[in-house]
Coordinates of all heavy atoms in Angstrom, one line a residue:
G973 N 81.9 108.0 104.8 CA 82.8 108.9 105.3 C 83.9 109.3 104.4 O 84.2 108.6 103.4
N974 N 84.6 110.4 104.6 CA 85.7 110.8 103.8 C 87.0 110.3 104.4 O 87.6 110.8 105.3 CB 85.7 112.4 103.8 CG 86.7 112.9 102.8 OD1 87.3 112.1 102.1 ND2 86.9 114.2 102.8
D975 N 87.4 109.1 103.8 CA 88.6 108.4 104.2 C 89.8 108.7 103.3 O 90.8 108.0 103.4 CB 88.4 106.9 104.3 CG 87.3 106.5 105.3 OD1 87.0 107.4 106.2 OD2 86.8 105.4 105.2
V976 N 89.7 109.7 102.5 CA 90.8 110.0 101.5 C 91.5 111.3 102.0 O 90.9 112.3 102.3 CB 90.2 110.2 100.1 CG1 91.3 110.5 99.1 CG2 89.4 108.9 99.7
G977 N 92.8 111.2 102.0 CA 93.7 112.4 102.4 C 93.8 113.3 101.2 O 93.3 113.2 100.1
D978 N 94.5 114.4 101.5 CA 94.8 115.4 100.5 C 95.5 114.9 99.2 O 95.3 115.4 98.1 CB 95.6 116.6 101.0 CG 94.8 117.3 102.1 OD1 93.6 117.3 102.1 OD2 95.5 117.9 103.0
D979 N 96.3 113.8 99.4 CA 97.0 113.3 98.3 C 96.2 112.2 97.6 O 96.8 111.5 96.6 CB 98.4 112.8 98.7 CG 98.2 111.7 99.8 OD1 97.1 111.4 100.2 OD2 99.3 111.2 100.3
G980 N 95.0 111.9 97.9 CA 94.2 110.9 97.3 C 94.4 109.5 97.9 O 93.7 108.6 97.4
E981 N 95.2 109.3 98.8 CA 95.5 108.0 99.5 C 94.4 107.7 100.5 O 93.9 108.6 101.2 CB 96.9 108.0 100.1 CG 98.0 108.1 99.2 CD 98.2 106.8 98.5 OE1 98.1 105.7 99.1 OE2 98.6 106.9 97.3
D982 N 94.1 106.5 100.7 CA 93.2 106.0 101.8 C 93.9 106.2 103.1 O 94.9 105.4 103.4 CB 92.8 104.6 101.5 CG 91.8 104.1 102.5 OD1 91.4 104.8 103.4 OD2 91.4 102.9 102.4
V983 N 93.5 107.1 103.9 CA 94.2 107.4 105.2 C 94.0 106.3 106.2 O 94.7 106.1 107.2 CB 93.8 108.7 105.8 CG1 94.3 109.9 104.9 CG2 92.3 108.8 106.1
L984 N 92.9 105.5 106.1 CA 92.7 104.4 107.0 C 93.2 103.0 106.6 O 93.0 102.0 107.3 CB 91.1 104.3 107.2 CG 90.5 105.5 107.9 CD1 89.0 105.3 108.0 CD2 91.1 105.8 109.3
S985 N 93.9 103.0 105.4 CA 94.3 101.7 104.9 C 95.2 100.9 105.9 O 95.1 99.7 106.0 CB 95.0 101.8 103.6 OG 96.2 102.6 103.7
P986 N 96.1 101.5 106.7 CA 96.9 100.7 107.7 C 96.0 100.1 108.7 O 96.4 99.1 109.3 CB 97.9 101.7 108.3 CG 97.9 102.9 107.4 CD 96.6 102.9 106.7
Y987 N 94.9 100.6 109.0 CA 94.0 100.1 110.0 C 93.0 99.1 109.5 O 92.2 98.5 110.3 CB 93.2 101.3 110.7 CG 94.1 102.3 111.3 CD1 94.3 103.5 110.7 CD2 94.9 102.0 112.4 CE1 95.1 104.5 111.2 CE2 95.8 103.0 112.9 CZ 95.9 104.2 112.3 OH 96.7 105.1 112.8
R988 N 93.0 98.8 108.2 CA 92.1 97.8 107.6 C 92.8 96.5 107.3 O 92.2 95.6 106.7 CB 91.5 98.4 106.3 CG 90.6 99.6 106.6 CD 90.0 100.1 105.4 NE 89.0 101.1 105.8 CZ 88.7 102.2 105.1 NH1 89.2 102.3 103.9 NH2 87.8 103.0 105.5
T989 N 94.1 96.4 107.7 CA 94.8 95.1 107.4 C 94.4 94.0 108.4 O 94.0 94.3 109.5 CB 96.3 95.4 107.5 OG1 96.6 95.7 108.8 CG2 96.8 96.4 106.5
P990 N 94.5 92.8 108.0 CA 94.1 91.7 108.9 C 95.0 91.6 110.1 O 94.6 91.3 111.2 CB 94.3 90.4 108.0 CG 94.1 90.9 106.6 CD 94.7 92.3 106.6
S991 N 96.3 92.0 110.0 CA 97.2 91.9 111.1 C 96.9 93.0 112.1 O 96.9 92.7 113.4 CB 98.7 92.1 110.7 OG 98.9 93.3 110.2
F992 N 96.4 94.1 111.7 CA 96.0 95.2 112.6 C 94.8 94.7 113.4 O 94.6 94.9 114.6 CB 95.8 96.5 111.9 CG 95.3 97.6 112.8 CD1 96.2 98.3 113.6 CD2 93.9 97.9 112.9 CE1 95.8 99.3 114.5 CE2 93.5 98.9 113.8 CZ 94.4 99.6 114.6
R993 N 93.8 94.1 112.6 CA 92.6 93.7 113.3 C 92.9 92.6 114.3 O 92.3 92.6 115.4 CB 91.6 93.2 112.2 CG 91.0 94.3 111.4 CD 90.0 93.7 110.4 NE 89.5 94.8 109.6 CZ 89.3 94.7 108.3 NH1 89.5 93.5 107.7 NH2 88.8 95.7 107.6
R994 N 93.8 91.7 114.0 CA 94.2 90.7 115.0 C 94.8 91.3 116.3 O 94.5 90.9 117.4 CB 95.1 89.6 114.4 CG 94.5 88.6 113.6 CD 95.4 87.5 113.2 NE 96.6 87.9 112.5 CZ 96.6 88.1 111.2 NH1 95.6 87.8 110.4 NH2 97.7 88.5 110.6
R995 N 95.7 92.2 116.1 CA 96.3 92.9 117.2 C 95.3 93.7 118.0 O 95.3 93.7 119.2 CB 97.4 93.9 116.7 CG 98.7 93.2 116.3 CD 99.9 94.1 116.1 NE 99.5 95.4 115.7 CZ 99.8 96.0 114.5 NH1 100.4 95.2 113.6 NH2 99.5 97.2 114.2
R996 N 94.4 94.3 117.3 CA 93.3 95.1 118.0 C 92.4 94.1 118.8 O 92.1 94.4 120.0 CB 92.5 95.9 117.0 CG 91.5 96.8 117.7 CD 90.7 97.6 116.7 NE 90.0 96.7 115.8 CZ 89.4 97.2 114.8 NH1 89.4 98.4 114.4 NH2 88.7 96.3 114.0
R997 N 92.1 93.0 118.3 CA 91.3 92.0 119.0 C 92.0 91.5 120.2 O 91.4 91.4 121.3 CB 90.9 90.9 118.1 CG 89.8 91.2 117.2 CD 89.3 90.0 116.4 NE 88.5 90.4 115.3 CZ 88.8 90.0 114.0 NH1 89.8 89.2 113.8 NH2 88.1 90.5 113.0
W998 N 93.3 91.2 120.1 CA 94.1 90.7 121.2 C 94.2 91.8 122.3 O 94.0 91.5 123.4 CB 95.5 90.3 120.7 CG 96.4 89.9 121.8 CD1 97.5 90.5 122.2 CD2 96.2 88.7 122.6 NE1 98.0 89.8 123.3 CE2 97.3 88.7 123.5 CE3 95.3 87.6 122.6 CZ2 97.5 87.7 124.4 CZ3 95.5 86.6 123.5 CH2 96.6 86.7 124.4
L999 N 94.4 93.0 121.9 CA 94.5 94.1 122.9 C 93.2 94.3 123.6 O 93.2 94.5 124.8 CB 95.0 95.4 122.2 CG 95.1 96.6 123.1 CD1 96.1 96.4 124.2 CD2 95.4 97.9 122.3
M1000 N 92.1 94.2 122.9 CA 90.8 94.4 123.5 C 90.5 93.2 124.5 O 90.0 93.5 125.6 CB 89.7 94.5 122.5 CG 89.8 95.7 121.6 SD 89.9 97.3 122.6 CE 88.2 97.3 123.3
L1001 N 90.9 92.0 124.1 CA 90.8 90.9 125.0 C 91.6 91.1 126.3 O 91.1 90.9 127.4 CB 91.2 89.6 124.3 CG 91.2 88.4 125.2 CD1 89.7 88.0 125.6 CD2 91.8 87.2 124.5
V1002 N 92.8 91.6 126.2 CA 93.7 91.8 127.3 C 93.1 92.9 128.2 O 93.0 92.8 129.4 CB 95.1 92.1 126.9 CG1 95.9 92.7 128.1 CG2 95.8 90.9 126.3
L1003 N 92.7 94.0 127.6 CA 92.1 95.1 128.4 C 90.8 94.8 129.0 O 90.6 95.1 130.2 CB 91.9 96.4 127.5 CG 93.2 97.0 127.0 CD1 92.9 98.1 126.0 CD2 94.0 97.5 128.1
H1004 N 89.9 94.0 128.4 CA 88.7 93.6 129.0 C 89.0 92.6 130.1 O 88.3 92.7 131.2 CB 87.7 93.0 128.0 CG 87.1 94.0 127.1 ND1 86.2 94.9 127.6 CD2 87.2 94.3 125.8 CE1 85.8 95.7 126.6 NE2 86.4 95.3 125.5
S1005 N 89.9 91.8 130.0 CA 90.3 90.8 131.1 C 90.8 91.6 132.3 O 90.5 91.3 133.4 CB 91.4 89.8 130.6 OG 90.9 89.1 129.5
C1006 N 91.6 92.6 132.0 CA 92.1 93.5 133.1 C 90.9 94.2 133.8 O 90.9 94.3 135.1 CB 93.1 94.5 132.7 SG 94.7 93.8 132.1
N1007 N 90.0 94.6 133.1 CA 88.8 95.3 133.6 C 88.0 94.3 134.5 O 87.5 94.7 135.6 CB 87.9 95.9 132.5 CG 86.9 96.8 133.1 OD1 87.0 97.4 134.1 ND2 85.7 96.7 132.4
V1008 N 87.8 93.1 134.0 CA 87.1 92.1 134.8 C 87.8 91.8 136.2 O 87.2 91.8 137.2 CB 87.0 90.7 134.0 CG1 86.5 89.6 134.9 CG2 86.0 90.9 132.9
V1009 N 89.1 91.7 136.1 CA 89.9 91.5 137.3 C 89.8 92.7 138.3 O 89.6 92.5 139.5 CB 91.4 91.2 137.0 CG1 92.2 91.2 138.3 CG2 91.5 89.8 136.3
D1010 N 89.8 93.9 137.7 CA 89.7 95.1 138.5 C 88.3 95.2 139.1 O 88.2 95.6 140.3 CB 89.9 96.3 137.6 CG 89.9 97.6 138.4 OD1 90.5 97.7 139.5 OD2 89.2 98.5 137.9
A1011 N 87.3 94.8 138.4 CA 85.9 94.9 139.0 C 85.6 93.8 140.0 O 84.7 93.9 140.8 CB 84.9 94.8 137.8
M1012 N 86.4 92.7 140.0 CA 86.1 91.7 140.9 C 86.3 92.0 142.4 O 85.7 91.4 143.3 CB 87.0 90.4 140.6 CG 86.5 89.7 139.4 SD 87.2 88.1 139.0 CE 88.8 88.1 139.6
D1013 N 87.2 93.0 142.7 CA 87.4 93.4 144.1 C 86.1 93.8 144.8 O 85.9 93.4 145.9 CB 88.5 94.4 144.2 CG 88.2 95.7 143.6 OD1 87.2 95.8 142.8 OD2 89.0 96.7 143.8
G1014 N 85.3 94.6 144.1 CA 84.1 95.0 144.7 C 83.1 93.9 144.9 O 82.4 93.8 145.9
A1015 N 83.0 93.0 143.9 CA 82.1 91.9 144.0 C 82.6 90.9 145.1 O 81.8 90.3 145.8 CB 82.1 91.2 142.6
I1016 N 83.9 90.6 145.1 CA 84.4 89.7 146.1 C 84.2 90.2 147.5 O 83.8 89.5 148.5 CB 85.9 89.4 145.9 CG1 86.0 88.5 144.6 CG2 86.5 88.7 147.0 CD1 87.4 88.3 144.1
L1017 N 84.4 91.5 147.7 CA 84.2 92.1 149.1 C 82.8 91.9 149.6 O 82.7 91.4 150.7 CB 84.6 93.6 149.0 CG 84.5 94.3 150.4 CD1 85.5 93.8 151.3 CD2 84.7 95.8 150.1
S1018 N 81.8 92.2 148.8 CA 80.5 92.0 149.3 C 80.1 90.5 149.5 O 79.3 90.1 150.3 CB 79.5 92.6 148.4 OG 79.5 92.1 147.1
A1019 N 80.8 89.6 148.7 CA 80.5 88.2 148.8 C 81.1 87.6 150.1 O 80.6 86.6 150.6 CB 81.1 87.5 147.6
V1020 N 82.1 88.2 150.6 CA 82.7 87.6 151.8 C 82.4 88.4 153.1 O 83.0 88.2 154.1 CB 84.3 87.5 151.7 CG1 84.6 86.6 150.5 CG2 84.9 88.9 151.5
F1021 N 81.4 89.3 153.0 CA 81.0 90.1 154.2 C 80.7 89.2 155.4 O 81.1 89.5 156.5 CB 79.8 91.0 153.9 CG 80.2 92.3 153.3 CD1 79.2 93.2 152.9 CD2 81.5 92.7 153.2 CE1 79.6 94.5 152.4 CE2 81.9 94.0 152.7 CZ 80.9 94.8 152.3
R1022 N 79.9 88.2 155.2 CA 79.5 87.3 156.3 C 80.7 86.6 157.0 O 80.8 86.5 158.2 CB 78.5 86.2 155.9 CG 77.1 86.8 155.6 CD 76.4 87.1 156.9 NE 75.2 87.7 156.6 CZ 74.6 88.6 157.4 NH1 75.1 89.0 158.5 NH2 73.4 89.1 157.0
A1023 N 81.6 86.1 156.1 CA 82.8 85.5 156.7 C 83.7 86.5 157.4 O 84.2 86.1 158.5 CB 83.6 84.8 155.5
L1024 N 83.8 87.7 156.9 CA 84.6 88.7 157.7 C 83.9 89.1 159.0 O 84.6 89.3 160.0 CB 84.7 89.9 156.8 CG 85.6 89.8 155.5 CD1 85.5 91.0 154.7 CD2 87.0 89.5 155.9
E1025 N 82.6 89.1 159.0 CA 81.8 89.5 160.2 C 82.0 88.4 161.3 O 82.1 88.8 162.5 CB 80.3 89.6 159.8 CG 79.5 90.2 160.9 CD 78.1 90.3 160.5 OE1 77.7 90.0 159.3 OE2 77.3 90.8 161.3
R1026 N 82.1 87.2 160.9 CA 82.3 86.1 161.9 C 83.7 85.8 162.3 O 84.0 85.0 163.1 CB 81.7 84.8 161.3 CG 80.2 84.8 161.2 CD 79.7 83.5 160.7 NE 78.8 83.8 159.6 CZ 78.6 83.1 158.6 NH1 79.2 81.9 158.5 NH2 77.7 83.5 157.7
S1027 N 84.7 86.5 161.7 CA 86.1 86.3 161.9 C 86.4 86.7 163.4 O 86.1 87.8 163.8 CB 86.9 87.1 161.0 OG 88.3 87.1 161.4
P1028 N 87.0 85.8 164.2 CA 87.3 86.1 165.5 C 88.5 87.1 165.6 O 88.8 87.7 166.7 CB 87.7 84.7 166.2 CG 88.1 83.9 165.0 CD 87.3 84.4 163.8
V1029 N 89.3 87.2 164.6 CA 90.5 88.0 164.6 C 90.2 89.5 164.2 O 90.6 90.4 164.8 CB 91.6 87.4 163.7 CG1 92.8 88.3 163.6 CG2 91.9 86.0 164.1
L1030 N 89.3 89.6 163.1 CA 89.1 91.0 162.6 C 88.1 91.8 163.3 O 88.2 93.0 163.4 CB 88.7 90.8 161.1 CG 89.8 90.2 160.2 CD1 89.2 90.0 158.8 CD2 91.0 91.0 160.2
H1031 N 87.0 91.2 163.9 CA 86.0 91.8 164.6 C 85.4 93.0 163.8 O 85.2 94.1 164.2 CB 86.5 92.4 165.9 CG 87.1 91.4 166.8 ND1 86.5 90.4 167.4 CD2 88.4 91.3 167.2 CE1 87.3 89.6 168.1 NE2 88.5 90.1 168.0
L1032 N 85.0 92.7 162.5 CA 84.5 93.7 161.6 C 82.9 93.7 161.8 O 82.3 92.7 161.8 CB 84.8 93.4 160.2 CG 86.3 93.5 159.8 CD1 86.5 93.2 158.4 CD2 86.8 94.9 160.1
T1033 N 82.4 94.9 162.0 CA 81.0 95.1 162.0 C 80.4 95.3 160.6 O 81.2 95.8 159.7 CB 80.6 96.2 163.0 OG1 81.1 97.4 162.4 CG2 81.2 96.0 164.4
P1034 N 79.1 95.1 160.5 CA 78.5 95.5 159.1 C 78.8 97.0 158.8 O 79.0 97.3 157.6 CB 77.1 95.2 159.3 CG 77.0 94.1 160.3 CD 78.1 94.4 161.3
A1035 N 78.8 97.8 159.8 CA 79.0 99.3 159.5 C 80.4 99.5 159.0 O 80.6 100.3 158.0 CB 78.8 100.1 160.8
V1036 N 81.4 98.8 159.5 CA 82.8 99.0 159.0 C 82.9 98.5 157.6 O 83.5 99.1 156.7 CB 83.8 98.3 160.0 CG1 85.2 98.2 159.4 CG2 83.8 99.0 161.3
M1037 N 82.3 97.3 157.4 CA 82.4 96.7 156.0 C 81.7 97.6 155.0 O 82.1 97.7 153.9 CB 81.9 95.3 156.0 CG 82.8 94.4 156.8 SD 82.3 92.7 156.8 CE 80.8 92.7 157.8
G1038 N 80.5 98.2 155.4 CA 79.8 99.1 154.5 C 80.6 100.3 154.2 O 80.6 100.8 153.1
T1039 N 81.4 100.8 155.2 CA 82.2 102.0 155.0 C 83.3 101.7 154.1 O 83.7 102.5 153.2 CB 82.8 102.5 156.4 OG1 81.7 102.8 157.2 CG2 83.7 103.7 156.2
V1040 N 83.9 100.5 154.2 CA 85.0 100.1 153.3 C 84.4 100.0 151.8 O 85.1 100.5 150.9 CB 85.6 98.7 153.7 CG1 86.5 98.1 152.6 CG2 86.4 98.9 155.0
S1041 N 83.3 99.4 151.7 CA 82.7 99.2 150.4 C 82.3 100.6 149.8 O 82.5 100.9 148.6 CB 81.4 98.4 150.5 OG 80.8 98.2 149.2
F1042 N 81.8 101.5 150.6 CA 81.4 102.8 150.2 C 82.7 103.6 149.8 O 82.7 104.3 148.8 CB 80.7 103.6 151.3 CG 80.4 105.0 151.0 CD1 79.3 105.3 150.1 CD2 81.0 106.0 151.6 CE1 79.0 106.6 149.8 CE2 80.7 107.3 151.3 CZ 79.7 107.6 150.4
A1043 N 83.8 103.5 150.5 CA 85.0 104.2 150.2 C 85.6 103.7 148.9 O 86.1 104.5 148.1 CB 86.0 104.0 151.3
Q1044 N 85.5 102.4 148.6 CA 85.9 101.9 147.3 C 85.1 102.5 146.2 O 85.7 102.9 145.2 CB 85.9 100.4 147.3 CG 86.5 99.7 146.1 CD 85.5 99.4 145.0 OE1 84.3 99.4 145.2 NE2 86.1 99.3 143.8
A1045 N 83.8 102.5 146.4 CA 82.9 103.1 145.3 C 83.2 104.6 145.1 O 83.2 105.0 143.9 CB 81.5 102.8 145.6
I1046 N 83.3 105.3 146.2 CA 83.5 106.7 146.0 C 84.9 107.0 145.4 O 85.1 107.9 144.6 CB 83.4 107.4 147.4 CG1 82.0 107.5 147.9 CG2 84.0 108.8 147.4 CD1 81.1 108.3 147.0
G1047 N 85.9 106.2 145.8 CA 87.2 106.4 145.2 C 87.2 106.1 143.7 O 87.8 106.9 142.9
S1048 N 86.5 105.1 143.3 CA 86.3 104.9 141.9 C 85.6 106.0 141.1 O 86.0 106.4 140.1 CB 85.6 103.5 141.6 OG 86.4 102.5 142.1
A1049 N 84.5 106.5 141.7 CA 83.7 107.5 141.1 C 84.5 108.8 141.0 O 84.4 109.5 140.0 CB 82.4 107.7 141.9
L1050 N 85.3 109.1 142.0 CA 86.0 110.4 142.0 C 87.2 110.3 141.1 O 87.7 111.3 140.5 CB 86.5 110.8 143.4 CG 85.3 111.2 144.4 CD1 85.9 111.5 145.8 CD2 84.6 112.4 143.9
S1051 N 87.8 109.1 140.9 CA 89.0 109.0 140.1 C 88.6 108.9 138.6 O 89.4 109.2 137.7 CB 89.8 107.9 140.5 OG 89.2 106.6 140.2
A1052 N 87.4 108.5 138.3 CA 87.0 108.4 136.9 C 87.1 109.6 136.0 O 87.7 109.6 134.9 CB 85.5 107.8 136.8
P1053 N 86.7 110.8 136.5 CA 86.9 112.0 135.7 C 88.4 112.4 135.5 O 88.8 112.8 134.5 CB 86.2 113.1 136.5 CG 85.2 112.4 137.4 CD 85.8 111.1 137.7
V1054 N 89.2 112.1 136.5 CA 90.6 112.3 136.4 C 91.2 111.5 135.4 O 92.0 111.9 134.5 CB 91.3 112.1 137.8 CG1 92.8 112.2 137.7 CG2 90.8 113.1 138.8
W1055 N 90.9 110.2 135.4 CA 91.4 109.2 134.4 C 90.9 109.6 133.0 O 91.6 109.5 132.0 CB 91.0 107.8 134.7 CG 92.0 107.2 135.7 CD1 91.7 106.9 137.0 CD2 93.3 106.9 135.6 NE1 92.8 106.4 137.7 CE2 93.8 106.4 136.8 CE3 94.2 107.0 134.5 CZ2 95.1 106.0 137.0 CZ3 95.5 106.6 134.7 CH2 96.0 106.1 135.9
G1056 N 89.6 110.1 132.9 CA 89.1 110.5 131.6 C 89.9 111.7 131.1 O 90.2 111.7 129.9
A1057 N 90.2 112.7 131.9 CA 91.0 113.8 131.4 C 92.4 113.4 131.0 O 92.9 113.9 130.0 CB 91.1 114.9 132.5
V1058 N 93.0 112.5 131.8 CA 94.3 112.0 131.5 C 94.3 111.3 130.1 O 95.1 111.4 129.3 CB 94.9 111.1 132.6 CG1 96.1 110.4 132.2 CG2 95.2 112.0 133.8
A1059 N 93.2 110.4 129.9 CA 93.1 109.7 128.7 C 92.9 110.6 127.5 O 93.4 110.2 126.4 CB 91.9 108.7 128.8
D1060 N 92.3 111.7 127.7 CA 92.2 112.7 126.6 C 93.5 113.4 126.2 O 93.6 113.8 125.0 CB 91.1 113.7 126.9 CG 89.7 113.2 126.9 OD1 89.5 112.1 126.3 OD2 88.8 113.8 127.5
S1061 N 94.4 113.5 127.1 CA 95.6 114.3 126.8 C 96.9 113.5 126.7 O 97.9 114.0 126.2 CB 95.7 115.3 127.9 OG 95.9 114.7 129.2
W1062 N 96.9 112.2 127.1 CA 98.1 111.4 127.1 C 98.0 110.4 125.9 O 96.9 110.0 125.6 CB 98.4 110.7 128.4 CG 98.8 111.6 129.5 CD1 98.8 113.0 129.5 CD2 99.4 111.2 130.7 NE1 99.3 113.4 130.7 CE2 99.7 112.3 131.5 CE3 99.7 110.0 131.3 CZ2 100.2 112.3 132.7 CZ3 100.3 109.9 132.5 CH2 100.5 111.1 133.2
D1063 N 99.2 109.9 125.5 CA 99.2 108.8 124.5 C 98.9 107.5 125.2 O 99.1 107.3 126.4 CB 100.5 108.8 123.8 CG 101.7 108.5 124.7 OD1 101.7 109.1 125.8 OD2 102.6 107.8 124.3
R1064 N 98.4 106.5 124.5 CA 97.9 105.3 125.1 C 99.0 104.5 125.8 O 98.8 104.0 126.9 CB 97.2 104.4 124.0 CG 95.9 104.9 123.7 CD 95.2 104.0 122.8 NE 93.9 104.5 122.4 CZ 93.3 104.3 121.2 NH1 93.9 103.5 120.4 NH2 92.2 104.9 120.9
P1065 N 100.2 104.3 125.2 CA 101.2 103.4 125.9 C 101.5 104.0 127.3 O 101.6 103.3 128.3 CB 102.4 103.4 125.0 CG 101.8 103.7 123.6 CD 100.6 104.6 123.8
R1066 N 101.7 105.3 127.3 CA 102.1 105.9 128.6 C 100.9 105.8 129.6 O 101.1 105.6 130.8 CB 102.4 107.4 128.4 CG 103.3 108.0 129.4 CD 103.9 109.3 128.9 NE 103.1 110.4 129.6 CZ 103.2 111.6 129.3 NH1 104.0 112.0 128.3 NH2 102.6 112.5 129.9
L1067 N 99.7 106.0 129.1 CA 98.5 105.9 130.0 C 98.4 104.5 130.5 O 98.1 104.3 131.7 CB 97.3 106.3 129.2 CG 96.0 106.3 130.0 CD1 96.0 107.2 131.2 CD2 94.8 106.6 129.1
L1068 N 98.6 103.5 129.7 CA 98.4 102.1 130.1 C 99.5 101.7 131.2 O 99.2 101.1 132.2 CB 98.5 101.1 128.9 CG 97.3 101.1 128.1 CD1 97.6 100.2 126.8 CD2 96.1 100.5 128.8
I1069 N 100.7 102.2 131.0 CA 101.8 102.0 131.9 C 101.4 102.6 133.3 O 101.6 102.0 134.3 CB 103.1 102.5 131.4 CG1 103.6 101.6 130.2 CG2 104.2 102.5 132.5 CD1 104.8 102.1 129.4
L1070 N 101.0 103.9 133.2 CA 100.6 104.5 134.5 C 99.4 103.8 135.1 O 99.4 103.6 136.4 CB 100.2 106.0 134.2 CG 99.7 106.8 135.4 CD1 100.8 107.0 136.4 CD2 99.2 108.1 134.9
G1071 N 98.4 103.4 134.4 CA 97.3 102.7 135.0 C 97.6 101.4 135.6 O 97.2 101.1 136.7
V1072 N 98.4 100.6 134.9 CA 98.9 99.3 135.5 C 99.7 99.6 136.7 O 99.6 98.9 137.8 CB 99.6 98.5 134.4 CG1 100.3 97.3 135.1 CG2 98.6 98.1 133.4
A1073 N 100.6 100.5 136.7 CA 101.5 100.8 137.8 C 100.7 101.3 139.0 O 101.1 101.0 140.2 CB 102.6 101.8 137.4
S1074 N 99.7 102.1 138.8 CA 99.0 102.7 139.9 C 97.9 101.7 140.5 O 97.5 101.9 141.6 CB 98.3 104.0 139.5 OG 97.3 103.8 138.6
W1075 N 97.6 100.7 139.7 CA 96.6 99.7 140.2 C 97.2 98.8 141.2 O 96.7 98.5 142.2 CB 96.1 98.9 139.0 CG 95.0 97.9 139.3 CD1 93.8 98.2 139.8 CD2 95.2 96.5 139.2 NE1 93.1 97.0 139.9 CE2 93.9 96.0 139.6 CE3 96.2 95.7 138.9 CZ2 93.7 94.6 139.7 CZ3 95.9 94.3 138.9 CH2 94.7 93.8 139.3

């Protein structure tokens, strides 16, 4: 690839340093960990359906629990394009702050 700017300098040199790579790995670990925690709500919900169904207090039917699970999936599917458009137009720090705050 053409990694040389108009002045002959390597435009990617700041991104090739060991400290940048360490920060990038750390950031990716944090973001992937947040994604795992975020994805667990759907997995946990389906895992506790039987316990919720037997609860004497909640009186949840399988239809109600299915509706809750469906609403969560539809909400995620409908918000994904919105978050994609926001990610294309906003800077990362502001986007991460908004994402964490809205979660």
Side-chain angles (χ1 to χ4, degrees):
N974 187 6
D975 298 340
V976 179
D978 294 335
D979 57 359
E981 292 286 323
D982 182 3
V983 295
L984 295 177
S985 62
Y987 303 107
R988 293 185 173 146
T989 63
S991 65
F992 178 81
R993 289 184 182 139
R994 278 192 300 276
R995 285 193 327 250
R996 185 177 63 189
R997 284 188 197 122
W998 177 249
L999 178 62
M1000 293 308 291
L1001 176 67
V1002 169
L1003 291 175
H1004 285 293
S1005 299
C1006 291
N1007 190 34
V1008 167
V1009 171
D1010 183 48
M1012 285 189 334
D1013 63 349
I1016 289 173
L1017 181 62
S1018 60
V1020 297
F1021 272 175
R1022 287 286 177 209
L1024 292 172
E1025 189 177 1
R1026 288 184 232 148
S1027 170
V1029 177
L1030 298 175
H1031 306 292
L1032 296 176
T1033 65
V1036 169
M1037 292 183 290
T1039 302
V1040 169
S1041 182
F1042 178 73
Q1044 187 268 341
I1046 289 294
S1048 293
L1050 293 177
S1051 67
V1054 173
W1055 280 110
V1058 170
D1060 288 342
S1061 61
W1062 286 16
D1063 60 321
R1064 285 187 186 150
R1066 205 166 103 189
L1067 180 62
L1068 285 171
I1069 291 169
L1070 176 66
V1072 169
S1074 66
W1075 181 66

